Amino acid sequence: MKTFFYPLFILLFTSCLSDVENYRYNSQSDINIFLVKEGQLLIHDSDVDLNSLELESTPWVKSTEIDLYDWSSHTFYLNTEKEKAKYSGRHFVVVSGDERLFIGVFFPMYMSSFPQMPSISPEDAIFYPKNVIHFGQLGHQFTGNLEGQKEFKKVLISSDLLREGIKVELTRVKKKNQTTINYSFQVTNIDRENIYVLDPDKMGASRFHYVTNGTWLSVNNTYYFPNQVNNTAFDKVQDSWYCKLKPGEKMTRNVELSNFPSLPSGKVKCSFSFPGSNMKSGDWKKSGGRIWIGDYYVEKELEIE
């Protein structure tokens, strides 16, 4: 019996080793998010040696829990829900295999300052559902340096998690009168699957302006905002308020915004923040695609007509 089971044990053991080696090889491009063990960092610490940090032994988010990453909004879409509130003030590290890609922080909205690194809002279900992880604040400077950003994108590609998302352009700003503008923008699906975006024509301008302040202007150091943005509050986005964009398809919309105290003329720097769905719960998956979640900031110099 011993002579029978011994080779069988060796066979099973070497088979398990082979599986572990294969896992290690295949997991080199897998992405996991680990919490930094407490007591090493303060919330505002930003100049950090990643490799010197002690991380929790188990990932907060495992690679198997990630469905995709939308580059246009810097957002992980998950297949499970994750609690965030209890980690307020703590740091996390995004890891690929044995390589630590970048650090971030759970930065609460009550703080008066801004995080100096990618941040996650720990206020569960206020802005984003629990099955979405959105990196806010410094999304446009995402990993702090260009090389780090390239490395992160390369890992996303090799993991087949990268989705390009959308592109937003502010195309025109026209004065209706001295206190009201009409602004036009275009949203293009640059992804490989259908994307559902909020449509101001379907939801109405007042509801659209509940999730975005629209366009604001600046000339030199003088800024022009509406005294009050007319908006209509709502708790849940209706399915009928979305526009479905197929890959390569565009949505062009013109929206009116009033209550400016005065408006400049000529060349003006125009800023616009296109809002993603403010769904607080529920499934981001839609028929043949997904709901776009996040925030897309646009800045462009235009001639005000």
Side-chain angles (χ1 to χ4, degrees), residues 260-271:
F260 286 88
S262 64
L263 287 167
S265 297
K267 285 189 176 181
V268 176
K269 185 167 74 174
C270 305
S271 303

Side-chain angles (χ1 to χ4, degrees), residues 77-174:
Y77 288 69
L78 309 180
N79 53 44
T80 187
E81 293 189 344
K82 290 292 175 180
E83 296 289 337
K84 308 181 188 83
K86 61 184 177 181
Y87 301 120
S88 182
R90 291 188 63 178
H91 288 74
F92 60 87
V93 175
V94 178
V95 178
S96 171
D98 295 328
E99 182 182 2
R100 301 181 180 192
L101 298 175
F102 63 88
I103 189 171
V105 62
F106 291 88
F107 204 81
M109 60 185 298
Y110 62 76
M111 299 292 289
S112 58
S113 57
F114 292 98
Q116 299 304 306
M117 60 177 63
S119 63
I120 296 173
S121 174
E123 284 80 15
D124 281 321
I126 294 180
F127 298 109
Y128 302 101
K130 292 182 179 180
N131 58 356
V132 161
I133 296 174
H134 172 69
F135 294 117
Q137 302 298 342
L138 298 182
H140 58 289
Q141 301 173 353
F142 190 56
T143 58
N145 64 80
L146 188 58
E147 287 306 311
Q149 190 174 21
K150 287 180 179 177
E151 184 62 27
F152 180 44
K153 197 166 192 176
K154 184 172 70 174
V155 171
L156 289 169
I157 292 170
S158 63
S159 304
D160 196 31
L161 294 176
L162 181 69
R163 303 295 184 273
E164 294 293 348
I166 63 174
K167 179 182 179 182
V168 182
E169 297 175 272
L170 189 61
T171 57
R172 185 186 186 199
V173 176
K174 182 178 181 180

